[in-house]
């Protein structure tokens, strides 16, 4: 009755975006995460390719968390005929509601922009999916709490807290014949200001583990100290600090830290603008998901909301053009791929008292990565923008475990038979493989997942 079980790596293999792993026990199988490819043009163009599986035959989608590189292709699956359930935790469902609609709207705006300026090779330029399609896809969401088993495609699944962002989970799967597979999703770092510790992982025979920071160790410096050191001189010279931050997770961390620095009198109080409706909504969601937070988390968020002025409309945002420092603008699009922050850079990049402070992972091909690599002139809306303001790249901010954190997470339970490393650039995945080979028992087989690879799982059933 079990047939053949297999895993298919159809994204986030050899890179960090487009997470899509198929686990198959019968019929169409279950897709764990359904993310968008982001980063370089070549990577993004993969979003236009047909799926290497039949979306209409899938029995379900299991979503580890709401970040777009894990969830953003769900509307695409809907558009291509998928009508099955999308299982996720309550926190993920709330974040998904804002993230997917926003992604659809941005796709439409970008297509509109490209048509208007005649930039596209494709005429007319099309949106990958629309806001309406994103809204329709949201009707497929089925909410399941942590630790509650649910059945899908002949398998039993359960979510376990991953402490990466609100709602984030590892997905644990029991195959029909009994062996178990654990999908790490993104693993939190454990010392996060708002979220709690990463709990011990569930036991599994095979683990698919992320490797984003497999080749790096986070600096020992606490992020709040690094943020203070970056902001202090900017505010002292009455500059404006522009802080592009991922709307879900990072933006809330940054304003919570600024509130903490104000209250501890480690920074002079100045206006702080949270210029991203999505980040503002995510702040509300984070604040009311109290059980995911550290005991001091809710109070910290309450203070953050007290200090942050939320700019709702485009016009409110445009009014910040006339802003004079000292001030901080926290906006979305952490890698400068779009959104309101680009207008602020155009407006404020010419004055050396201002600063652009990058505070997160910068994927290949993004403006953020080019700036980290030293470029001081970037193209925005087709025009070159020289960066005369100070540029700082903070190194301690991350919602991911580093190499030691990932090793610790994997060791925190009986060893599996096999480990597949995905969600990492090749150097990062190989570095983590090397570290694990030294520590895990010799009979544990560790491999780096290859894009398009299909792994037979029946060996697990022979044990
Ligand atoms: Zn993530």
């Amino acid at each position: 009755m079990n047939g053949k079980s297999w895993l298919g790596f159809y994204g986030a293999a050899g890179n960090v975006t487009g997470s899509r792993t198929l686990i198959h026990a019968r019929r169409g199988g279950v897709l764990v995460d359904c993310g968008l490819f982001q980063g370089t043009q070549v990577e993004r163009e993969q979003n236009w390719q047909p799926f290497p599986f039949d979306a209409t035959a899938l029995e379900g989608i299991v979503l580890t968390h709401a970040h777009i590189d894990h969830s953003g292709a769900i509307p695409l699956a809907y558009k291509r005929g998928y009508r099955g359930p999308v299982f996720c935790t309550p926190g993920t469902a709330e974040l998904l509601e804002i993230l997917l609609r926003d992604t659809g709207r941005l796709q439409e705006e970008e297509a509109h922009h490209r048509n208007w300026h005649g930039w596209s090779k494709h005429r007319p330029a099309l949106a990958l999916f629309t806001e309406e399609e994103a809204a329709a896809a949201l009707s497929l969401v089925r909410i399941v709490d942590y630790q509650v088993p649910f059945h899908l495609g002949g398998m039993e699944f359960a979510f376990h807290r991953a402490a990466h962002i609100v709602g984030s989970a590892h997905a644990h799967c029991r195959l029909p014949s009994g062996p178990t597979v654990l999908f790490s999703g993104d693993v939190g770092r454990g010392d996060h200001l708002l979220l709690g510790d990463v709990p011990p992982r569930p036991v599994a025979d095979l683990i698919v583990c992320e490797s984003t920071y497999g080749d790096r160790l986070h600096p020992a410096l606490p992020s709040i100290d690094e943020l203070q050191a970056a902001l202090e001189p900017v505010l002292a010279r009455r500059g404006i600090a522009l802080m592009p931050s991922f709307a879900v997770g990072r933006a809330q961390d940054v304003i919570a830290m600024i509130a903490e620095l104000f209250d501890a009198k480690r920074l002079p109080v100045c206006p702080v603008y949270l210029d991203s409706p999505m980040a503002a909504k995510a702040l509300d969601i984070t604040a009311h998901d109290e059980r995911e937070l550290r005991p001091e988390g809710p109070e910290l968020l309450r203070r953050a909301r007290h200090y942050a002025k939320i700019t709702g409309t485009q016009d409110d945002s445009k009014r910040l053009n006339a802003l004079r420092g000292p001030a901080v603008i926290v906006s979305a699009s952490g890698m400068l791929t779009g959104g309101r922050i680009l207008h602020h850079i155009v407006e404020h990049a010419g004055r050396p008292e201002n600063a652009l402070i990058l505070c997160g992972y910068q994927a290949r091909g993004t403006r953020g990565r080019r700036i980290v690599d030293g470029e001081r002139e970037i193209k925005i809306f087709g025009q070159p923008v020289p960066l005369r303001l100070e540029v700082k790249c903070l190194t301690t901010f991350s919602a991911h475990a580093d190499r030691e954190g990932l090793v610790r997470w994997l060791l925190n339970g009986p060893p599996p038979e096999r480990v597949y490393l995905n969600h990492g650039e090749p150097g990062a995945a190989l570095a983590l493989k090397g570290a694990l080979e030294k520590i895990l028992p010799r009979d544990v087989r560790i491999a780096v997942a290859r894009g398009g690879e299909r792994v037979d799982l029946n060996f697990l059933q022979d044990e």
Side-chain angles (χ1 to χ4, degrees):
M1 105 186 216
N2 299 331
K4 231 170 148 29
S5 300
W6 51 269
L7 270 180
F9 293 103
Y10 298 129
N15 58 36
V16 294
T17 67
S19 279
R20 298 169 193 177
T21 308
L22 191 72
I23 185 158
H24 186 282
R26 70 175 193 200
R27 280 183 239 141
V30 171
L31 193 63
V32 177
D33 287 337
C34 186
L36 274 191
F37 290 99
Q38 297 169 304
T40 64
Q41 179 133 11
V42 175
E43 284 167 316
R44 280 180 283 133
E45 276 181 1
Q46 292 181 70
N47 292 320
W48 294 91
Q49 304 299 320
F51 294 134
F53 46 84
D54 180 1
T56 60
L58 287 176
E59 295 204 46
I61 294 175
V62 171
L63 186 57
T64 62
H65 66 291
H67 276 153
I68 287 300
D69 61 317
H70 292 257
S71 72
I74 293 171
L76 207 52
Y78 182 90
K79 193 175 172 177
R80 294 171 183 174
Y82 177 68
R83 293 293 183 273
V86 175
F87 283 93
C88 65
T89 65
T92 297
E94 282 189 276
L95 291 174
L96 209 56
E97 179 79 27
I98 52 175
L99 274 167
L100 289 191
R101 284 177 198 272
D102 188 76
T103 306
R105 193 174 44 76
L106 285 178
Q107 297 284 343
E108 286 183 78
E109 279 174 12
E110 197 179 312
H112 179 77
H113 238 74
R114 286 181 177 276
N115 287 325
W116 182 258
H117 293 283
W119 290 339
S120 180
K121 285 183 284 185
H122 315 281
R123 286 177 200 274
L126 298 172
L128 192 58
F129 56 84
T130 64
E131 187 175 358
E132 203 180 320
E133 282 158 344
L138 285 165
S139 67
L140 307 178
V141 167
R142 304 283 177 272
I143 298 171
V144 192
D145 217 334
Y146 292 112
Q147 325 275 358
V148 177
F150 57 97
H151 294 90
L152 199 54
M155 297 169 273
E156 183 185 275
F157 288 85
F159 291 122
H160 297 262
R161 212 166 60 80
H164 165 63
I165 57 168
V166 164
S168 64
H170 316 304
H172 186 264
C173 167
R174 183 173 296 280
L175 292 165
S177 53
T180 50
V181 178
L182 178 65
F183 298 88
S184 73
D186 289 352
V187 180
R189 56 183 289 174
D191 59 353
H192 191 276
L193 183 74
L194 298 169
L195 302 175
D197 296 333
V198 184
R201 65 165 174 82
V203 178
D205 299 304
L206 184 149
I207 299 180
V208 178
C209 182
E210 67 127 324
S211 56
T212 317
Y213 282 101
D215 57 348
R216 266 170 281 182
L217 297 177
H218 295 319
L221 180 73
S223 300
I224 193 163
D225 294 356
E226 191 185 30
L227 182 62
Q228 180 191 9
L231 286 174
E232 213 164 21
V234 187
L235 303 183
R237 62 178 184 251
R238 309 188 69 75
I240 298 171
L242 302 178
M243 296 202 63
S245 310
F246 304 113
V248 173
R250 187 59 36 78
Q252 294 76 36
D253 299 350
V254 166
I255 62 159
M257 283 183 201
I258 292 174
E260 175 84 0
L261 291 168
F262 285 169
D263 286 345
K265 304 208 177 342
R266 291 172 63 184
L267 280 181
V269 175
C270 72
V272 178
Y273 296 90
L274 182 58
D275 187 25
S276 158
M278 183 161 56
K281 281 187 210 154
L283 178 64
D284 289 339
I285 292 168
T286 310
H288 85 74
D289 267 318
E290 286 194 9
R291 62 190 179 144
E292 299 218 22
L293 303 178
R294 290 186 186 285
E296 58 277 27
E299 173 58 16
L300 206 51
L301 285 167
R302 198 190 57 73
R303 278 152 43 206
R305 286 154 68 117
H306 164 74
Y307 285 114
K309 298 174 200 303
I310 291 166
T311 49
T313 65
Q314 293 271 6
D315 284 344
D316 293 339
S317 179
K318 279 186 192 143
R319 262 178 232 124
L320 297 180
N321 288 350
L323 184 68
R324 289 291 167 262
V328 182
I329 301 176
V330 178
S331 191
S333 190
M335 299 187 283
L336 300 177
T337 49
R340 295 178 177 184
I341 191 69
L342 297 183
H343 295 275
H344 296 311
I345 292 177
V346 170
E347 190 59 35
H348 300 293
R351 283 192 290 278
E353 69 271 26
N354 297 339
L356 174 65
I357 303 177
L358 300 174
C359 57
Y361 189 87
Q362 306 296 328
R364 284 177 302 197
T366 61
R367 290 186 186 89
R369 177 70 160 255
R370 287 199 287 276
I371 293 173
V372 169
D373 291 343
E375 286 187 29
R376 288 298 176 265
E377 184 176 279
I378 53 172
K379 252 192 177 175
I380 296 181
F381 311 126
Q383 298 296 319
V385 178
L387 301 176
R388 299 207 176 87
L389 77 181
E390 187 189 7
V391 174
K392 299 189 190 202
C393 309
L394 307 189
T395 58
T396 64
F397 282 77
S398 172
H400 285 265
D402 63 2
R403 188 175 64 226
E404 266 178 19
L406 290 169
V407 169
R408 215 180 310 124
W409 181 78
L410 276 161
L411 288 179
N412 203 353
E417 282 179 48
R418 271 197 205 193
V419 178
Y420 277 90
L421 301 174
N422 72 345
H423 201 286
E425 290 179 6
L430 281 172
L432 181 59
K433 180 173 185 276
L436 290 172
E437 279 167 348
K438 288 196 196 118
I439 293 174
L440 286 172
R442 284 182 136 206
D443 56 347
V444 179
R445 287 180 58 189
I446 307 162
V448 174
R450 293 190 306 261
E453 183 183 6
R454 231 165 105 154
V455 177
D456 189 335
L457 293 179
N458 289 296
F459 74 94
L460 294 170
Q461 301 171 15
D462 298 332
E463 307 293 318

